[in-house]
């Protein structure tokens, strides 16, 4: 009796390379390798032995190649891109999705697709083969750009390959799960037949459609010279599989309609693949620098050029600034998990971007006539002007009220008093909280550069502003008896215990040095926690012997300053900890190190904010330091903001194994937050502290822990309790042991009624503060624009060609009014913004 053989599985062989611009080697080294790989690709495309090549979905790699390659190779590559044989896009870089804003991911797609189309073709697939988990709103983001499918790997726990990925707003894409990962190069290996068979046997039972995918290639790999011959030989040697070279899009088309299970929202499950969660805190100085410059671009440069009339934005300069920022967002870059040379180059590029944005700010002021770049001619404020005559600009379409921080620089010695006058010459309520020496070099276009020498004042001014409003002010030195005059506040020594009641809460310093913030919502303790970290740049891992976990609750008061509703408290903290691990990486080493720092707290009557700033100095290695806020609560969940979403997650408390399990990563404990966290009655707005965890506090209740620093000395190791395998080359990274430097700033909101939208807006206004600009020219500014509902969240406002563009999103589970007279909504969604929805509006400039 004959047995009917099953029809052969159809296997799409998608030849690809995954291109990290920089990782275990710096960018220029990899750029040279890129030329060799792409020459090999072109040789096989020219010969017809390779039919199609997937260029990793990142157009930055194509730009690198065209910049470095000889013209002949560049033209060969472009010939194949124009013919559709090399697939481009849709991304500019493969970013880490949790360390960048939703707007950055939007521009990443926008710029990547523009470049791909300009060079002949754009792959309309959300290709995300190596991102360390995925944001909840990715399906909506893809749909807004006309992309209806996605290919993923990390963060997914599914039995089968095909699934539907559904965003919180209901947007969905057909998605493909690379069950064994994207790095599959069996056709490159000496034992290629056995390796290929083993791979196909592992994926065949997991394909609901019966269509199999081999992503032939890997990190920085080129195709084997006998690729076509090996495919033909394999097909001829058996009847179970039929290998066909084709594009990723052709494979997705071949799957056809199939019943798919649905996955909803964020994908950070590490049951089947590593998600490497602790990159959220590795080299935290990079995260802070990135977020500050991302905020400058979105909260200063673009709205300034959009709202100044008569100033046409320099599109090339803005595009190149965005590219420079996006290049820093590549996952191995912004995650801090590359060799030291890479991150030193990143710091240099951050400095370059900072300089570019400062130049673009000055260029906008010159174009609009607020300030002249010349000493002896021109209109507007002098190039050597201080901040006596200024314009305050609100770069957000959100109204601001209450006390606003201004930091003007006035030339000369510190005056005995100053005042702030509005456009009609009336004094505004003001408090003078601090002063520092300042020096600024100015260089006119028509004469020698000279310094402007004076002092920078820290002021709080009662200045309500509508959204996008510009307000002229006069800041002048005056006699202390003048109307509206204010003098700098003095300080006095402070001893324990102490209590400050500012109307909305109490700051309590107890006799033993413990520090509390008492509000109607509860009593919150502030403390620090340190522990040894035997991990690497990807994963925190406790020392397997003695992890040296310590609580540091003692603070010693230094002095207090009071001015009207403001109370400014300065406290010292000191502690001792292990200087690092011993040679066996199990216990503390013999070296001990002393840590000291300053905690500065600002309280203001009538607002539920405790503003805090930490100066922290220490040189301990192999350790993690966290700020802990303990309210004595038992929590079931906590929430933080990610790209275009307020993401709620269940609490998972650490339970570390005694030893590593091979190829297993311990369950994810730390969570991402772009700028805001809510845990019970604790709400926090921050910059650059993008990792939080719910921990068991010193009293046994849950507490919120924010990572201040994680010092590690290895790119990857294979001996971690947290991860039973390597995640990259085992290379030393001594610069990742860098101690605390600079200032870490926090703000804590302790109002239990503060909802997600209010917290997000508060955080956004702190990250995108008022702009203090030299000169006054009221006619240069467009009219004020305040959003039609106070809970809408603005993402960006810019000018594109002859139109203004405003992007908003709704963080809530309720629809919000969004009608903007004169503005056109791109998706025809009407006058309300659906729950959890993103929308773009435009109008003529």
């Amino acid at each position: 009796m004959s047995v009917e053989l099953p029809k052969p599985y159809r296997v799409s062989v998608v030849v690809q390379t995954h291109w990290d611009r920089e990782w275990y080697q710096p960018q220029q080294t990899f750029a040279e390798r890129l030329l060799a790989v792409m020459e090999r690709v072109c040789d096989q495309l020219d010969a017809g032995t390779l039919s199609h090549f997937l260029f990793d979905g990142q157009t930055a790699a194509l730009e690198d190649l065209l910049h470095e390659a000889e013209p002949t190779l560049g033209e060969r590559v472009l010939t194949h891109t124009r013919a559709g044989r090399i697939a481009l896009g849709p991304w500019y870089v493969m970013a880490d999705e949790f360390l960048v804003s939703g707007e950055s991911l939007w521009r990443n797609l926008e710029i990547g697709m523009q470049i791909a189309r300009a060079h002949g073709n754009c792959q309309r697939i959300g290709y995300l083969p190596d991102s360390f988990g995925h944001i909840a709103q990715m399906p909506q983001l893809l749909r807004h750009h006309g992309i209806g499918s996605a290919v993923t790997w990390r963060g997914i726990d599914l039995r089968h390959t095909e699934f539907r990925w559904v965003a919180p707003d209901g947007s969905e894409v057909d998605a493909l799960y690379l069950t064994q990962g994207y790095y599959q190069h069996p056709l490159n290996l000496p034992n290629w037949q056995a390796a290929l068979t083993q791979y196909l046997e592992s994926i065949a039972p997991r394909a609901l459609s019966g269509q199999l995918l081999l992503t032939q290639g890997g990190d920085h790999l080129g195709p084997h010279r006998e690729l076509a011959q090996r495919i033909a030989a394999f097909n001829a040697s058996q009847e179970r599989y039929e290998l066909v070279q084709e594009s990723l899009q052709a494979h997705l088309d071949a799957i056809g309609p199939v019943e798919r299970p649905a996955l909803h929202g964020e994908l950070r499950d590490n049951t089947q693949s590593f998600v490497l969660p602790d990159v959220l805190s590795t080299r935290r100085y990079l995260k802070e620098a990135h977020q500050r410059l991302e905020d400058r671009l979105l909260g200063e440069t673009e709205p300034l050029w959009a709202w100044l009339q008569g100033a046409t934005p320099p599109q090339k300069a803005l595009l190149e600034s965005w590219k420079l920022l996006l290049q820093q967002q590549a996952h191995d870059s912004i995650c801090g998990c590359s060799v030291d040379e890479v991150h030193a180059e990143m710091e240099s590029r951050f400095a370059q971007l900072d300089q570019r944005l400062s130049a673009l700010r000055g260029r906008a002021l010159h174009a609009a006539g607020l300030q002249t770049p010349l000493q002896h001619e021109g209109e507007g404020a002098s190039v050597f002007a201080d901040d006596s005559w200024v314009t305050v600009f609100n770069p957000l379409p959100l109204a601001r009220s209450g006390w606003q921080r201004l930091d003007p620089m006035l030339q000369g010695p510190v005056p005995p008093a100053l005042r702030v006058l509005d456009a009609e010459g009336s004094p505004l309520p003001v408090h003078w909280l601090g002063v520092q020496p300042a020096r600024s070099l100015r260089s006119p276009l028509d004469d020698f550069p000279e310094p402007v020498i004076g002092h920078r004042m820290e002021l709080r001014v009662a200045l309500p502003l509508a959204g996008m409003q510009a307000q002229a002010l006069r800041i002048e030195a005056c006699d202390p008896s003048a109307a509206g005059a204010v003098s700098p506040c003095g300080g006095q020594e402070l001893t324990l215990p102490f209590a400050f009641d500012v109307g909305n809460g109490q700051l309590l310093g107890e006799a033993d040095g413990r520090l509390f913030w008492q509000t109607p919502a509860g009593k919150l303790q502030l403390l620090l926690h340190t522990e040894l970290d035997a991990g690497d740049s990807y994963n925190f891992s406790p020392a397997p012997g003695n992890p040296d976990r310590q609580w540091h609750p003692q603070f010693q008061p230094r002095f207090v300053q009071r001015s009207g509703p403001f109370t400014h408290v300065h406290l010292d903290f000191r502690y001792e900890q292990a200087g690092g691990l011993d040679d066996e990486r199990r216990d503390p080493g013999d070296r001990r190190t002393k840590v000291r720092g300053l905690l500065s707290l600002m309280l203001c009557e009538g607002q539920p904010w405790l503003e805090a700033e930490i100066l922290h100095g220490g040189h301990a290695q192999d350790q993690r330091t966290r700020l802990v806020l303990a309210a004595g609560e038992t929590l079931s969940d906590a929430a933080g903001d990610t790209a275009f979403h307020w993401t709620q997650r269940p609490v998972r408390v650490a339970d570390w194994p005694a030893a590593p399990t091979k190829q297993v990563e311990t369950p994810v404990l730390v969570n991402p937050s772009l700028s805001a966290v809510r845990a019970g009655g604790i709400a926090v707005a921050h910059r650059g502290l993008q990792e939080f965890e719910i921990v068991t506090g010193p009293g046994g209740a849950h507490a919120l822990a924010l990572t201040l620093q994680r010092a590690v000395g290895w790119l990857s190791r294979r001996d971690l309790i947290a991860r039973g395998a390597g995640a990259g080359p085992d290379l030393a990274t001594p610069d990742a042991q860098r101690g605390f430097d600079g200032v870490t700033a926090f703000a804590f909101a302790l109002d239990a009624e503060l909802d997600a939208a209010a917290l997000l807006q508060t955080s956004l206004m702190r990250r995108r503060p008022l702009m203090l600009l030299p000169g006054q020219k009221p006619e240069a500014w467009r009219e004020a624009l305040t959003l039609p509902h106070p809970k809408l969240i603005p993402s960006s406002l810019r000018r594109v060609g002859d139109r203004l563009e405003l992007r908003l999103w709704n963080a809530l589970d309720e629809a919000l009014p969004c009608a903007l007279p004169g503005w056109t909504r791109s998706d025809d969604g009407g006058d309300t913004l659906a729950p959890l929805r993103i929308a773009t509006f435009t109008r003529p400039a």
Side-chain angles (χ1 to χ4, degrees), residues 183-206:
Y183 199 130
Q184 301 298 332
H185 65 311
L187 291 168
N188 284 16
L189 302 178
N191 60 336
W192 63 271
Q193 290 174 311
L196 180 56
T197 300
Q198 181 181 8
Y199 171 73
L200 296 176
E201 290 294 314
S202 70
I203 67 169
R206 304 182 71 169

Side-chain angles (χ1 to χ4, degrees), residues 551-573:
W551 295 100
H552 306 286
Q554 281 77 37
F555 295 87
Q556 296 298 319
R558 182 184 287 185
F559 63 93
V560 61
Q561 298 170 289
R562 306 199 74 163
S563 178
F566 293 96
T567 301
H568 198 178
V569 182
H570 303 261
L571 303 108
D572 290 320
F573 59 86

Side-chain angles (χ1 to χ4, degrees), residues 710-723:
R710 204 165 69 82
V712 292
W714 289 86
L715 189 149
S716 175
R717 292 187 64 92
R718 301 171 189 272
D719 57 355
L720 310 188
I721 287 175
R723 193 192 68 238

Side-chain angles (χ1 to χ4, degrees), residues 437-473:
R439 181 186 182 96
S440 175
L441 182 68
R442 311 289 176 84
S443 181
L445 294 178
D446 57 349
D447 214 325
F448 289 105
E450 296 289 347
V452 174
I453 302 172
H455 292 82
R456 191 166 297 281
M457 323 298 177
E458 181 187 340
L459 308 179
R460 296 292 196 280
V461 182
L463 183 65
L465 288 171
M468 305 305 294
Q469 182 181 357
Q471 173 70 55
L473 296 179

